[in-house]
Amino acid sequence: MTIKKRIRIAQVAPVIFPSPPPGSGGTERIVADLTEALFNLGYDVTLIGPADCHTPARHLATAPSLYALERHHGQVPPGVPGVLEARVLETLRAHLDEFDVIHCHGEFAHAALLGARRAESVTTVHWRVDELDRQLFFEGFPDLPVAAISHAQARAIPAANLAGVVHHGLKAERFTLGAGDGGYLAFIGRMTDQKRPDRAIAVARKTGYSLRLAGGVDVGNPNWFDAHVARELDDAIVHVGTVDDVQKQALLGGAAALLFPIDWPEPFGLVMIEAMACGTPVIAWRNGSVEEVIEHGVTGFIVETIEEAVAAVARLAELDRARIRERFLARFSAERMARDYVALYEKRLNLG
């Protein structure tokens, strides 16, 4: 059902990748899907972001994304991301009076620009918020409304800032129910000690399954891949690199399960709901938002050790892939995410 058009909404995108991203880029994926869902619901929505973004909504284009610039110029000076962010914010400043509510997905600088308009804004931080930079940010802007992406993330957001919790959602048509008949386990994530692909390798070895590892080497910790993953690769343990949506559908749709063996307080974990959209069970370590996303014994299993994960693999036949897809549609669609954000917008505007 179309909602009456009454709120003029700005979605302010980050600058590293376009929205939607060509491959990796979870934040940009959420921004793109949220913008499109709001547009489809009948809202007057504008995306402010890099020139290489694509959206059915109005687009106020700024400079190309860092991704596009690097593809054209190769390595760029370290100050370029700051310049790109400044150009997005200048576009926002020039059009600020055209919007009833401003939803920002970048960090820090927009809070100062918004000034008196902070009360009519929502900020989503797509990373952990318990570290010093974010805490200093909240301390400096106690009147900036922040939407948490999980209750786990919300615990580190000061009460003065916390505007609510909105779980991520995805465009439902992007993924379809897969048969899971590939006879392998899957892992998707950066090759880093936060995501722990080494745990996934251990589970695969102990269960006799082959394992397909997808994801790039962490640029901040490139030696970790060589030390913990590269030496384990063989015919059974394969690293396929980064994957786009088409490749991700094939990988997840054919997998017996997605292993999500994180070792950090992941604020959401988008790949979990991507797997669910394919009907693929998720075996996830109890950390961050996992207990909010995975329904134990329904959409996957929540574990704490490699031994528990091995036992969970043995129980995969208990789970119904069609039911997993149904739970995704009920809980994690882009339309549900958009409606939840609209409720926050209306609260900021005293329309609720």
Side-chain angles (χ1 to χ4, degrees):
M1 181 178 67
T2 300
I3 296 177
K4 181 181 178 181
K5 196 181 289 186
R6 62 174 180 171
I7 304 176
R8 299 171 300 165
I9 305 164
Q11 294 292 327
V12 185
V15 299
I16 304 303
F17 295 103
S19 296
S24 59
T27 298
E28 291 82 2
R29 171 59 65 199
I30 292 300
V31 172
D33 281 6
L34 174 59
T35 302
E36 183 174 345
L38 290 167
F39 176 84
N40 290 339
L41 287 170
Y43 287 96
D44 182 352
V45 58
T46 298
L47 178 68
I48 303 176
D52 44 324
C53 292
H54 297 281
T55 179
R58 178 194 185 200
H59 179 203
L60 293 178
T62 62
S65 67
L66 180 64
Y67 170 83
L69 291 173
E70 288 181 337
R71 286 175 64 86
H72 183 74
H73 298 284
Q75 187 173 3
V76 299
V80 166
V83 173
L84 299 180
E85 178 76 9
R87 291 186 60 173
V88 167
L89 294 180
E90 171 60 12
T91 302
L92 173 61
R93 184 202 62 79
H95 293 269
L96 197 57
D97 291 342
E98 299 174 19
F99 307 114
D100 299 311
V101 66
I102 304 99
H103 189 168
C104 296
H105 299 269
E107 294 183 44
F108 308 144
H110 69 274
L113 180 147
L114 289 172
R117 295 296 308 278
R118 287 199 283 268
E120 294 115 28
S121 75
V122 172
T123 294
T124 300
V125 180
H126 294 259
W127 189 250
R128 64 189 302 174
V129 294
D130 57 338
E131 296 179 316
L132 179 60
D133 54 352
R134 275 77 174 179
Q135 294 305 307
L136 288 171
F137 174 57
F138 297 141
E139 182 181 310
F141 299 95
D143 60 339
L144 184 76
V146 176
I149 58 177
S150 66
H151 293 281
Q153 187 198 53
R155 286 193 286 270
I157 298 175
N161 294 104
L162 185 60
V165 176
V166 177
H167 286 144
H168 285 335
L170 292 173
K171 184 177 179 179
E173 298 79 12
R174 182 173 303 114
F175 298 105
T176 58
L177 181 64
D181 54 1
Y184 60 86
L185 302 172
F187 169 96
I188 300 178
R190 287 177 290 112
M191 300 294 134
T192 175
D193 56 349
Q194 293 177 330
K195 302 289 190 176
R196 295 298 299 270
D198 57 317
R199 285 177 171 172
I201 293 170
V203 172
R205 296 287 194 209
K206 288 177 178 291
T207 59
Y209 275 82
S210 60
L211 174 67
R212 298 183 187 179
L213 298 159
V217 176
D218 189 351
V219 296
N221 191 9
N223 295 328
W224 196 90
F225 176 80
D226 291 333
H228 299 278
V229 178
R231 64 186 181 184
E232 297 286 344
L233 300 179
D234 55 26
D235 291 342
I237 309 295
V238 179
H239 180 226
V240 300
T242 57
V243 290
D244 60 22
D245 284 342
V246 174
Q247 295 166 322
K248 195 176 290 183
Q249 167 70 60
L251 176 64
L252 291 172
L258 172 76
L259 300 178
F260 191 68
I262 56 169
D263 200 14
W264 74 298
E266 183 106 31
F268 188 81
L270 196 61
V271 69
M272 289 191 287
I273 65 173
E274 290 175 332
M276 290 169 56
C278 298
T280 302
V282 181
I283 299 174
W285 260 245
R286 192 187 309 276
N287 212 331
S289 66
V290 163
E291 291 179 282
E292 299 173 48
V293 177
I294 301 304
E295 296 171 272
H296 185 78
V298 178
T299 58
F301 297 104
I302 300 171
V303 302
E304 296 183 353
T305 65
I306 289 172
E307 290 70 26
E308 290 181 4
V310 169
V313 171
R315 297 180 59 192
L316 290 174
E318 300 175 16
L319 305 183
D320 183 332
R321 295 181 71 95
R323 176 63 172 156
I324 294 172
R325 168 77 179 176
E326 290 172 1
R327 295 306 295 154
F328 160 77
L329 293 172
R331 301 184 61 213
F332 297 115
S333 71
E335 180 176 328
R336 192 277 309 152
M337 173 175 62
R339 292 182 186 278
D340 285 355
Y341 271 121
V342 166
L344 290 189
Y345 303 157
E346 291 179 338
K347 184 176 181 181
R348 302 315 313 164
L349 299 174
N350 295 314
L351 295 176

Short mmCIF file of all heavy atoms in Angstrom, two decimals, residues 213-261:
data_model
loop_
_atom_site.label_atom_id
_atom_site.label_comp_id
_atom_site.label_asym_id
_atom_site.label_seq_id
_atom_site.Cartn_x
_atom_site.Cartn_y
_atom_site.Cartn_z
N LEU A 213 35.67 -19.87 0.92
CA LEU A 213 35.91 -18.61 1.63
C LEU A 213 35.80 -17.47 0.64
O LEU A 213 36.51 -17.43 -0.37
CB LEU A 213 37.30 -18.60 2.26
CG LEU A 213 37.62 -19.65 3.32
CD1 LEU A 213 39.12 -19.83 3.45
CD2 LEU A 213 37.02 -19.23 4.67
N ALA A 214 34.92 -16.51 0.90
CA ALA A 214 34.78 -15.33 0.05
C ALA A 214 35.09 -14.09 0.87
O ALA A 214 34.71 -13.99 2.04
CB ALA A 214 33.38 -15.24 -0.53
N GLY A 215 35.77 -13.14 0.26
CA GLY A 215 36.11 -11.91 0.95
C GLY A 215 37.54 -11.51 0.67
O GLY A 215 38.39 -12.35 0.37
N GLY A 216 37.79 -10.21 0.78
CA GLY A 216 39.11 -9.69 0.50
C GLY A 216 40.03 -9.75 1.71
O GLY A 216 39.59 -9.92 2.84
N VAL A 217 41.31 -9.60 1.44
CA VAL A 217 42.31 -9.51 2.51
C VAL A 217 42.17 -8.16 3.19
O VAL A 217 42.04 -7.13 2.54
CB VAL A 217 43.73 -9.70 1.93
CG1 VAL A 217 44.79 -9.52 3.01
CG2 VAL A 217 43.86 -11.07 1.28
N ASP A 218 42.17 -8.15 4.50
CA ASP A 218 42.01 -6.92 5.27
C ASP A 218 43.21 -6.01 5.04
O ASP A 218 44.34 -6.36 5.37
CB ASP A 218 41.88 -7.27 6.77
CG ASP A 218 41.50 -6.07 7.62
OD1 ASP A 218 41.50 -4.94 7.10
OD2 ASP A 218 41.21 -6.26 8.81
N VAL A 219 42.95 -4.82 4.47
CA VAL A 219 44.06 -3.90 4.17
C VAL A 219 44.75 -3.41 5.43
O VAL A 219 45.91 -3.02 5.41
CB VAL A 219 43.56 -2.70 3.33
CG1 VAL A 219 43.06 -3.16 1.97
CG2 VAL A 219 42.46 -1.93 4.07
N GLY A 220 44.03 -3.42 6.55
CA GLY A 220 44.63 -2.97 7.80
C GLY A 220 45.46 -4.03 8.49
O GLY A 220 46.19 -3.74 9.44
N ASN A 221 45.35 -5.28 8.03
CA ASN A 221 46.08 -6.39 8.66
C ASN A 221 46.39 -7.46 7.61
O ASN A 221 45.96 -8.60 7.71
CB ASN A 221 45.22 -6.97 9.80
CG ASN A 221 45.99 -7.95 10.67
OD1 ASN A 221 47.21 -8.08 10.55
ND2 ASN A 221 45.28 -8.65 11.53
N PRO A 222 47.15 -7.08 6.57
CA PRO A 222 47.33 -7.98 5.43
C PRO A 222 48.10 -9.25 5.75
O PRO A 222 47.93 -10.26 5.06
CB PRO A 222 48.10 -7.11 4.42
CG PRO A 222 48.80 -6.08 5.25
CD PRO A 222 47.86 -5.80 6.39
N ASN A 223 48.94 -9.24 6.77
CA ASN A 223 49.74 -10.42 7.08
C ASN A 223 48.91 -11.54 7.72
O ASN A 223 49.33 -12.69 7.73
CB ASN A 223 50.90 -10.04 8.02
CG ASN A 223 51.88 -9.10 7.34
OD1 ASN A 223 52.07 -9.17 6.13
ND2 ASN A 223 52.49 -8.22 8.12
N TRP A 224 47.74 -11.20 8.25
CA TRP A 224 46.92 -12.20 8.92
C TRP A 224 46.48 -13.29 7.96
O TRP A 224 46.47 -14.47 8.29
CB TRP A 224 45.72 -11.53 9.58
CG TRP A 224 45.05 -12.40 10.60
CD1 TRP A 224 45.32 -12.46 11.92
CD2 TRP A 224 44.02 -13.36 10.35
NE1 TRP A 224 44.51 -13.38 12.54
CE2 TRP A 224 43.70 -13.96 11.60
CE3 TRP A 224 43.32 -13.77 9.24
CZ2 TRP A 224 42.73 -14.94 11.73
CZ3 TRP A 224 42.35 -14.75 9.36
CH2 TRP A 224 42.07 -15.32 10.59
N PHE A 225 46.11 -12.91 6.75
CA PHE A 225 45.68 -13.88 5.74
C PHE A 225 46.80 -14.89 5.45
O PHE A 225 46.56 -16.10 5.42
CB PHE A 225 45.27 -13.16 4.46
CG PHE A 225 44.90 -14.08 3.33
CD1 PHE A 225 43.65 -14.67 3.27
CD2 PHE A 225 45.81 -14.35 2.32
CE1 PHE A 225 43.31 -15.52 2.23
CE2 PHE A 225 45.48 -15.20 1.27
CZ PHE A 225 44.22 -15.78 1.23
N ASP A 226 48.01 -14.37 5.25
CA ASP A 226 49.13 -15.27 4.94
C ASP A 226 49.41 -16.23 6.09
O ASP A 226 49.70 -17.41 5.88
CB ASP A 226 50.39 -14.46 4.64
CG ASP A 226 50.28 -13.68 3.33
OD1 ASP A 226 49.53 -14.13 2.45
OD2 ASP A 226 50.93 -12.64 3.20
N ALA A 227 49.28 -15.72 7.32
CA ALA A 227 49.63 -16.53 8.49
C ALA A 227 48.56 -17.55 8.85
O ALA A 227 48.89 -18.64 9.36
CB ALA A 227 49.92 -15.62 9.68
N HIS A 228 47.29 -17.24 8.61
CA HIS A 228 46.22 -18.07 9.14
C HIS A 228 45.31 -18.72 8.09
O HIS A 228 44.57 -19.65 8.43
CB HIS A 228 45.35 -17.25 10.09
CG HIS A 228 46.08 -16.73 11.29
ND1 HIS A 228 46.31 -17.48 12.41
CD2 HIS A 228 46.65 -15.52 11.52
CE1 HIS A 228 46.97 -16.77 13.30
NE2 HIS A 228 47.20 -15.57 12.79
N VAL A 229 45.35 -18.24 6.86
CA VAL A 229 44.44 -18.76 5.83
C VAL A 229 45.20 -19.35 4.65
O VAL A 229 44.94 -20.49 4.24
CB VAL A 229 43.46 -17.67 5.35
CG1 VAL A 229 42.56 -18.21 4.24
CG2 VAL A 229 42.62 -17.14 6.51
N ALA A 230 46.12 -18.59 4.09
CA ALA A 230 46.77 -18.99 2.84
C ALA A 230 47.40 -20.37 2.94
O ALA A 230 47.29 -21.19 2.01
CB ALA A 230 47.81 -17.94 2.44
N ARG A 231 48.04 -20.65 4.05
CA ARG A 231 48.73 -21.93 4.17
C ARG A 231 47.77 -23.11 4.33
O ARG A 231 48.18 -24.27 4.23
CB ARG A 231 49.68 -21.88 5.37
CG ARG A 231 49.02 -21.69 6.72
CD ARG A 231 50.04 -21.50 7.81
NE ARG A 231 49.42 -21.34 9.12
CZ ARG A 231 50.10 -21.08 10.23
NH1 ARG A 231 51.42 -20.95 10.19
NH2 ARG A 231 49.47 -20.94 11.38
N GLU A 232 46.48 -22.83 4.58
CA GLU A 232 45.48 -23.89 4.74
C GLU A 232 44.75 -24.21 3.43
O GLU A 232 43.99 -25.16 3.37
CB GLU A 232 44.44 -23.48 5.79
CG GLU A 232 45.00 -23.30 7.19
CD GLU A 232 45.33 -24.63 7.86
OE1 GLU A 232 44.85 -25.68 7.37
OE2 GLU A 232 46.05 -24.62 8.87
N LEU A 233 44.97 -23.40 2.41
CA LEU A 233 44.22 -23.58 1.17
C LEU A 233 44.65 -24.84 0.42
O LEU A 233 45.84 -25.13 0.31
CB LEU A 233 44.38 -22.35 0.28
CG LEU A 233 43.90 -21.01 0.88
CD1 LEU A 233 44.15 -19.87 -0.10
CD2 LEU A 233 42.43 -21.07 1.27
N ASP A 234 43.65 -25.58 -0.07
CA ASP A 234 43.91 -26.78 -0.85
C ASP A 234 42.66 -27.07 -1.68
O ASP A 234 41.83 -26.19 -1.89
CB ASP A 234 44.29 -27.96 0.06
CG ASP A 234 43.27 -28.25 1.15
OD1 ASP A 234 42.07 -27.92 0.95
OD2 ASP A 234 43.63 -28.80 2.21
N ASP A 235 42.50 -28.29 -2.14
CA ASP A 235 41.33 -28.61 -2.95
C ASP A 235 40.02 -28.51 -2.17
O ASP A 235 38.96 -28.28 -2.75
CB ASP A 235 41.47 -30.04 -3.52
CG ASP A 235 42.57 -30.14 -4.57
OD1 ASP A 235 42.97 -29.08 -5.10
OD2 ASP A 235 43.02 -31.26 -4.85
N ALA A 236 40.09 -28.68 -0.85
CA ALA A 236 38.88 -28.65 -0.02
C ALA A 236 38.61 -27.26 0.56
O ALA A 236 37.46 -26.90 0.81
CB ALA A 236 38.99 -29.66 1.11
N ILE A 237 39.64 -26.50 0.82
CA ILE A 237 39.51 -25.15 1.39
C ILE A 237 39.94 -24.17 0.31
O ILE A 237 41.13 -24.03 0.00
CB ILE A 237 40.40 -24.97 2.64
CG1 ILE A 237 40.16 -26.12 3.63
CG2 ILE A 237 40.13 -23.62 3.28
CD1 ILE A 237 38.77 -26.18 4.22
N VAL A 238 38.97 -23.45 -0.26
CA VAL A 238 39.22 -22.61 -1.42
C VAL A 238 38.87 -21.16 -1.10
O VAL A 238 37.81 -20.88 -0.52
CB VAL A 238 38.38 -23.08 -2.62
CG1 VAL A 238 38.61 -22.19 -3.84
CG2 VAL A 238 38.71 -24.53 -2.96
N HIS A 239 39.76 -20.23 -1.48
CA HIS A 239 39.47 -18.81 -1.33
C HIS A 239 39.06 -18.26 -2.69
O HIS A 239 39.85 -18.27 -3.64
CB HIS A 239 40.71 -18.05 -0.81
CG HIS A 239 40.47 -16.58 -0.65
ND1 HIS A 239 41.36 -15.63 -1.10
CD2 HIS A 239 39.44 -15.90 -0.09
CE1 HIS A 239 40.89 -14.43 -0.81
NE2 HIS A 239 39.73 -14.57 -0.19
N VAL A 240 37.83 -17.79 -2.81
CA VAL A 240 37.30 -17.34 -4.10
C VAL A 240 37.40 -15.83 -4.27
O VAL A 240 36.99 -15.30 -5.31
CB VAL A 240 35.84 -17.80 -4.29
CG1 VAL A 240 35.75 -19.32 -4.23
CG2 VAL A 240 34.90 -17.17 -3.26
N GLY A 241 37.91 -15.11 -3.27
CA GLY A 241 38.04 -13.66 -3.36
C GLY A 241 36.73 -12.95 -3.06
O GLY A 241 35.80 -13.52 -2.48
N THR A 242 36.64 -11.70 -3.47
CA THR A 242 35.42 -10.94 -3.24
C THR A 242 34.33 -11.39 -4.21
O THR A 242 34.62 -11.87 -5.32
CB THR A 242 35.67 -9.43 -3.41
OG1 THR A 242 36.17 -9.18 -4.72
CG2 THR A 242 36.67 -8.93 -2.38
N VAL A 243 33.08 -11.23 -3.81
CA VAL A 243 31.95 -11.67 -4.63
C VAL A 243 30.92 -10.56 -4.75
O VAL A 243 30.69 -9.80 -3.81
CB VAL A 243 31.29 -12.94 -4.05
CG1 VAL A 243 32.20 -14.14 -4.21
CG2 VAL A 243 30.91 -12.76 -2.58
N ASP A 244 30.32 -10.45 -5.94
CA ASP A 244 29.21 -9.52 -6.12
C ASP A 244 27.90 -10.23 -5.79
O ASP A 244 27.90 -11.39 -5.36
CB ASP A 244 29.21 -8.94 -7.54
CG ASP A 244 29.07 -10.00 -8.62
OD1 ASP A 244 28.57 -11.12 -8.33
OD2 ASP A 244 29.44 -9.72 -9.78
N ASP A 245 26.78 -9.57 -6.01
CA ASP A 245 25.49 -10.15 -5.61
C ASP A 245 25.16 -11.44 -6.37
O ASP A 245 24.63 -12.39 -5.78
CB ASP A 245 24.37 -9.13 -5.81
CG ASP A 245 24.35 -8.06 -4.74
OD1 ASP A 245 24.97 -8.28 -3.69
OD2 ASP A 245 23.74 -7.01 -4.97
N VAL A 246 25.47 -11.48 -7.65
CA VAL A 246 25.19 -12.68 -8.44
C VAL A 246 26.02 -13.85 -7.93
O VAL A 246 25.52 -14.97 -7.73
CB VAL A 246 25.46 -12.43 -9.94
CG1 VAL A 246 25.31 -13.72 -10.73
CG2 VAL A 246 24.50 -11.37 -10.49
N GLN A 247 27.30 -13.59 -7.69
CA GLN A 247 28.18 -14.64 -7.17
C GLN A 247 27.79 -15.04 -5.75
O GLN A 247 27.87 -16.21 -5.38
CB GLN A 247 29.63 -14.15 -7.21
CG GLN A 247 30.17 -13.91 -8.60
CD GLN A 247 31.46 -13.11 -8.60
OE1 GLN A 247 31.65 -12.19 -7.81
NE2 GLN A 247 32.37 -13.47 -9.49
N LYS A 248 27.32 -14.06 -4.99
CA LYS A 248 26.91 -14.34 -3.61
C LYS A 248 25.67 -15.23 -3.60
O LYS A 248 25.56 -16.14 -2.77
CB LYS A 248 26.65 -13.03 -2.87
CG LYS A 248 26.56 -13.15 -1.38
CD LYS A 248 26.39 -11.77 -0.73
CE LYS A 248 27.65 -10.95 -0.83
NZ LYS A 248 27.52 -9.64 -0.13
N GLN A 249 24.74 -14.99 -4.51
CA GLN A 249 23.55 -15.84 -4.61
C GLN A 249 23.96 -17.28 -4.88
O GLN A 249 23.47 -18.22 -4.24
CB GLN A 249 22.63 -15.34 -5.73
CG GLN A 249 21.53 -16.31 -6.12
CD GLN A 249 20.46 -16.46 -5.06
OE1 GLN A 249 19.81 -15.49 -4.70
NE2 GLN A 249 20.25 -17.68 -4.56
N ALA A 250 24.87 -17.47 -5.82
CA ALA A 250 25.31 -18.83 -6.14
C ALA A 250 26.03 -19.47 -4.97
O ALA A 250 25.80 -20.64 -4.65
CB ALA A 250 26.22 -18.80 -7.38
N LEU A 251 26.90 -18.71 -4.32
CA LEU A 251 27.67 -19.24 -3.20
C LEU A 251 26.78 -19.61 -2.03
O LEU A 251 26.85 -20.72 -1.49
CB LEU A 251 28.72 -18.21 -2.77
CG LEU A 251 29.58 -18.56 -1.56
CD1 LEU A 251 30.43 -19.79 -1.83
CD2 LEU A 251 30.45 -17.38 -1.15
N LEU A 252 25.92 -18.67 -1.62
CA LEU A 252 25.06 -18.93 -0.47
C LEU A 252 23.95 -19.92 -0.81
O LEU A 252 23.60 -20.77 0.01
CB LEU A 252 24.45 -17.62 0.03
CG LEU A 252 25.43 -16.63 0.69
CD1 LEU A 252 24.75 -15.30 0.96
CD2 LEU A 252 26.01 -17.21 1.97
N GLY A 253 23.38 -19.80 -2.00
CA GLY A 253 22.28 -20.68 -2.37
C GLY A 253 22.67 -22.14 -2.43
O GLY A 253 21.86 -23.02 -2.17
N GLY A 254 23.93 -22.42 -2.75
CA GLY A 254 24.38 -23.79 -2.84
C GLY A 254 24.99 -24.33 -1.56
O GLY A 254 25.25 -25.53 -1.46
N ALA A 255 25.23 -23.46 -0.58
CA ALA A 255 25.91 -23.87 0.65
C ALA A 255 24.99 -24.61 1.60
O ALA A 255 23.80 -24.27 1.73
CB ALA A 255 26.50 -22.66 1.36
N ALA A 256 25.55 -25.59 2.29
CA ALA A 256 24.80 -26.28 3.34
C ALA A 256 24.55 -25.34 4.51
O ALA A 256 23.52 -25.42 5.18
CB ALA A 256 25.55 -27.52 3.80
N ALA A 257 25.49 -24.43 4.76
CA ALA A 257 25.35 -23.45 5.83
C ALA A 257 26.37 -22.35 5.62
O ALA A 257 27.41 -22.55 4.97
CB ALA A 257 25.55 -24.08 7.21
N LEU A 258 26.08 -21.19 6.16
CA LEU A 258 27.05 -20.10 6.27
C LEU A 258 27.66 -20.16 7.66
O LEU A 258 26.94 -20.22 8.66
CB LEU A 258 26.38 -18.74 6.08
CG LEU A 258 27.29 -17.54 6.37
CD1 LEU A 258 28.26 -17.31 5.23
CD2 LEU A 258 26.46 -16.29 6.65
N LEU A 259 28.98 -20.14 7.72
CA LEU A 259 29.68 -20.03 9.00
C LEU A 259 29.97 -18.56 9.27
O LEU A 259 30.51 -17.86 8.41
CB LEU A 259 30.97 -20.85 8.97
CG LEU A 259 30.81 -22.35 8.73
CD1 LEU A 259 32.17 -23.02 8.69
CD2 LEU A 259 29.92 -22.99 9.79
N PHE A 260 29.60 -18.11 10.46
CA PHE A 260 29.79 -16.71 10.86
C PHE A 260 30.53 -16.70 12.20
O PHE A 260 29.96 -16.43 13.26
CB PHE A 260 28.41 -16.03 10.98
CG PHE A 260 28.46 -14.54 11.11
CD1 PHE A 260 28.89 -13.74 10.06
CD2 PHE A 260 28.06 -13.92 12.28
CE1 PHE A 260 28.92 -12.36 10.18
CE2 PHE A 260 28.09 -12.54 12.42
CZ PHE A 260 28.52 -11.75 11.36
N PRO A 261 31.84 -17.00 12.16
CA PRO A 261 32.60 -17.27 13.39
C PRO A 261 33.28 -16.04 13.98
O PRO A 261 34.47 -16.06 14.33
CB PRO A 261 33.63 -18.30 12.91
CG PRO A 261 33.89 -17.92 11.49
CD PRO A 261 32.63 -17.32 10.95
#
